[in-house]
Amino acid sequence: MSVPSNASGPLPWPRWAYVPGETGAVDYETLALAKAQVPSAFRGHVPARHPALRYGLALNDRGYFWESQEVLEAVWAAAPQGGRERILLRACIHIANANLRLRMQRSHSAARLFGDALGELRALSARKAAAGGDGLVESFPVAALTALLQAKLDRPQLSKADWIALGATVRSQPSA
């Protein structure tokens, strides 16, 4: 996944990945650039190609788990109330948080968060899908992520290597 661009060019990667108890401070300046692209509210749905969303997913895939969670929470806050994207975004936030817990060698906490994400995806699958569109939910392979989470949770013990990528799971859509 390439880094999404903004008006002044590509969004930069944070200077370091924040890990509570291991690294000093958060690179808030870099995160502010992505969060500034999130509108106060999305209308109807969260576009799958929205730069802050794509950046938040890519942060996770590059190992910036805490930062990913921060950006995805900003997108979640702007997502339509009661919408399917809010459910999917909550699952993605849980996964980024679980990935961070794995890095911190807190496998039980990570397993609980993966379980929370799995619950969100099951709730999403139970909700009626909207008729076609370019929203996040329509382009996201929920069934594949659900199966991956279940496979991780079926393991007797999780390790750092069990982290889950999110950005690569979003199908690329051609530009209109």
Side-chain angles (χ1 to χ4, degrees):
M1 170 182 287
S2 62
V3 181
S5 12
N6 61 16
S8 62
L11 289 168
W13 297 114
R15 291 172 283 190
W16 58 85
Y18 177 68
V19 179
E22 293 180 23
T23 56
V26 176
D27 184 2
Y28 285 112
E29 288 179 28
T30 301
L31 295 180
L33 296 172
K35 289 180 176 185
Q37 295 187 3
V38 178
S40 59
F42 286 101
R43 306 281 180 238
H45 66 278
V46 176
R49 297 180 62 84
H50 191 276
L53 169 65
R54 307 275 303 168
Y55 184 68
L57 296 172
L59 283 168
N60 177 79
D61 295 358
R62 287 196 167 224
Y64 297 99
F65 304 128
W66 191 91
E67 294 80 1
S68 171
Q69 178 183 320
E70 285 292 304
V71 173
L72 292 176
E73 284 176 353
V75 175
W76 172 85
Q81 293 291 324
R84 297 178 79 226
E85 279 93 359
R86 284 181 76 89
I87 298 170
L88 179 54
L89 285 164
R90 270 194 312 265
C92 291
I93 291 164
H94 287 317
I95 291 168
N97 196 358
N99 289 341
L100 178 61
R101 296 301 186 265
L102 287 175
R103 175 175 286 156
M104 297 167 67
Q105 298 181 5
R106 295 183 181 169
S107 61
H108 293 292
S109 177
R112 181 186 54 79
L113 288 160
F114 279 159
D116 291 346
L118 183 59
E120 295 288 354
L121 293 176
R122 287 182 175 151
L124 175 63
S125 296
R127 302 251 329 246
K128 185 174 180 165
D134 66 348
L136 171 62
V137 174
E138 288 80 23
S139 67
F140 204 96
V142 173
L145 184 56
T146 300
L148 179 58
L149 280 167
Q150 188 61 62
K152 299 283 185 187
L153 291 170
D154 287 344
R155 294 183 180 182
Q157 180 74 26
L158 295 172
S159 72
K160 284 184 175 184
D162 286 313
W163 71 279
I164 294 176
L166 293 170
T169 61
V170 178
R171 291 183 215 114
S172 296
Q173 296 179 347
S175 300

